[in-house]
Amino acid sequence: MKKQFIVIGLGRFGSSLVHTLIQNGHEVLAVDKDEQLVQDISGVATHAVQADCTDEGVLKELGARNFTHAIVAIGEDLQASILATLLLKELHIPKITAKAKNEMHGQVLIKVGADHIVYPERDMAARLGNQLSSDNLIDYIELSPVHNLVELKAPPAMNEQTLQQLNIRAKYGCTIMAIKKGVHINISPKAEDEINTGDILVIIGSNTDIRDLEEDYEQK
C-alpha cells in the first residue's frame, strides 16, 4: 500500500531513508534548509524542497498536515529537531518519528510529540558490537531491551541434527523461527527438519538465552 511521507533533514540518515521509502513504492516529500542537500535528493524523492521547518507557516505551505507520517531526521541542530517535532504535533500529523542524538534528546522529543524515536548511531554501534563479539552472529533486530531476533550461522555441532534432537526451546528458551539453506527459506520449520553446518537460523529469544546457546555450541 502506497504511503505518503515527509522527511525533514537530508543528512546521511535522512537521505538514506528517502531512498529506501522510494524504493518501497511510497511518495516522499524531502525537505532541508541546505540547498545542496535538496539538489542531491531531487532526482530520487517525489518532491524535494529547500525550506526551514522550524517555521509553522512554512510547514503549512508545504502541506505537512496532509501527510500521515513525518520523519524528523535533523542531525546536529537539537533545537531545530525539537521545534520541528513540536510544530508537526500541533499540525496533528498522525505519526511522527524523530531521530535522536542521545537518550536525553529522545526523552524531550517524546514529550513534545514524537511517537517513535530512533537512535541510528547507538543502534548501529550495538549491532556492530554484537556481530564482532560472535563468529556465528550474522545480524540481529532488537525487539525489546531484553529480547532479540537474530540470524545465527549453524555451527558444526548442529550438523545433521533435527530440531527435535537439538531441543533448543526446552534447553535454552529460544525458538527457531526459520532456517535458511542458500536461497531457500524454511518458514516455521517442523520438528523433523534437519540442520546442516552453515545454515542460517532465525532465532527469537532473550539476550541471555541466545548468548548461552551460542557459547554452549562454540564449546562442543
Side-chain angles (χ1 to χ4, degrees):
M1 182 178 176
K2 182 179 288 189
K3 298 179 181 179
Q4 293 181 319
F5 296 88
I6 177 171
V7 177
I8 300 170
L10 300 174
R12 283 178 295 179
F13 175 76
S15 59
S16 294
L17 181 61
V18 171
H19 277 85
T20 302
L21 291 171
I22 291 293
Q23 288 170 2
N24 288 339
H26 304 301
E27 295 181 359
V28 181
L29 170 60
V31 188
D32 199 289
K33 290 194 300 183
D34 189 313
E35 182 180 0
Q36 186 58 55
L37 293 177
V38 172
Q39 289 181 356
D40 291 343
I41 205 70
S42 61
V44 178
T46 312
H47 301 287
V49 179
Q50 180 187 7
D52 180 1
C53 288
T54 61
D55 185 322
E56 184 177 7
V58 169
L59 286 173
K60 288 180 177 179
E61 287 180 12
L62 291 173
R65 56 162 52 105
N66 297 322
F67 290 84
T68 56
H69 197 151
I71 301 96
V72 180
I74 298 172
E76 297 301 318
D77 192 339
L78 305 191
Q79 182 176 335
S81 164
I82 293 165
L83 184 53
T85 302
L86 175 61
L87 292 175
L88 289 166
K89 186 66 174 182
E90 291 180 347
L91 290 174
H92 305 293
I93 307 297
K95 187 168 184 181
I96 302 170
T97 296
K99 171 189 172 184
K101 189 172 180 64
N102 51 49
E103 293 289 340
M104 185 172 292
H105 183 202
Q107 290 174 13
V108 174
L109 290 169
I110 287 288
K111 288 181 179 179
V112 299
D115 301 292
H116 178 61
I117 304 297
V118 291
Y119 301 88
E121 293 179 358
R122 183 199 69 181
D123 294 346
M124 181 55 70
R127 175 170 292 188
L128 179 60
N130 278 291
Q131 290 174 333
L132 294 175
S133 299
S134 169
D135 293 333
N136 295 316
L137 183 66
I138 295 173
D139 202 359
Y140 88 106
I141 298 172
E142 184 179 284
L143 301 178
S144 76
V146 295
H147 288 87
N148 284 338
L149 180 70
V150 306
E151 287 190 346
L152 197 68
K153 188 184 298 182
M158 291 185 178
N159 191 46
E160 297 184 346
Q161 294 194 61
T162 64
L163 293 183
Q164 185 173 24
Q165 290 172 321
L166 292 169
N167 204 17
I168 296 294
R169 184 182 294 178
K171 290 180 180 177
Y172 301 99
C174 303
T175 301
I176 296 179
M177 308 291 291
I179 303 172
K180 297 182 182 179
K181 293 179 179 287
V183 296
H184 177 70
I185 302 178
N186 179 1
I187 303 295
S188 298
K190 299 179 175 59
E192 63 271 18
D193 289 339
E194 187 176 272
I195 291 174
N196 300 109
T197 303
D199 287 350
I200 306 301
L201 310 178
V202 181
I203 303 173
I204 188 170
S206 74
N207 304 337
T208 302
D209 290 341
I210 292 172
R211 191 179 305 116
D212 288 345
L213 184 157
E214 281 189 87
E215 291 176 351
D216 281 0
Y217 277 93
E218 283 176 359
Q219 295 170 7
K220 291 182 179 181

